[in-house]
Amino acid sequence: MAYNNPRTFHDGAIIPDGCQPITPGTELREPCIGIYVGGSGDLVVDMVDSTGTPLKAVPAGTLLTGRFINVQAAGTTATNLVAFYASFVN
């Protein structure tokens, strides 16, 4: 599946314009550009170009950046996860 590039600021920074809580094991509505980790722990993530990547001992308050499509329930112990989205343009 091909995805368009997200909207960027004049300096190339990607600006989030939406967010939603993540329930591990539930596929995200579209690729997100970041995941906020509210409670420390492990995550197992699927990204646009890879699946089942373990991220160990992620501290609370971390903002992970990337093109995430899913947080797997199996192996994920981190809590209070939030997905950040950016508008996509053609």
Side-chain angles (χ1 to χ4, degrees):
M1 182 181 300
Y3 297 101
N4 295 325
N5 291 324
R7 190 166 305 189
T8 59
F9 237 176
H10 66 279
D11 63 357
I14 298 172
I15 307 303
D17 57 12
C19 63
Q20 79 176 57
I22 295 174
T23 301
T26 304
E27 190 168 319
L28 301 175
R29 67 178 192 225
E30 63 184 76
C32 70
I33 61 167
I35 296 174
Y36 173 78
V37 180
S40 62
D42 299 341
L43 284 89
V44 179
V45 298
D46 299 333
M47 299 183 76
V48 170
D49 292 330
S50 64
T51 60
T53 305
L55 305 171
K56 298 291 188 180
V58 179
T62 299
L63 179 59
L64 301 168
T65 58
R67 302 289 306 279
F68 303 97
I69 57 173
N70 185 38
V71 175
Q72 297 183 14
T76 295
T77 60
T79 59
N80 300 318
L81 305 173
V82 178
F84 286 89
Y85 295 96
S87 295
F88 289 81
V89 294
N90 292 323

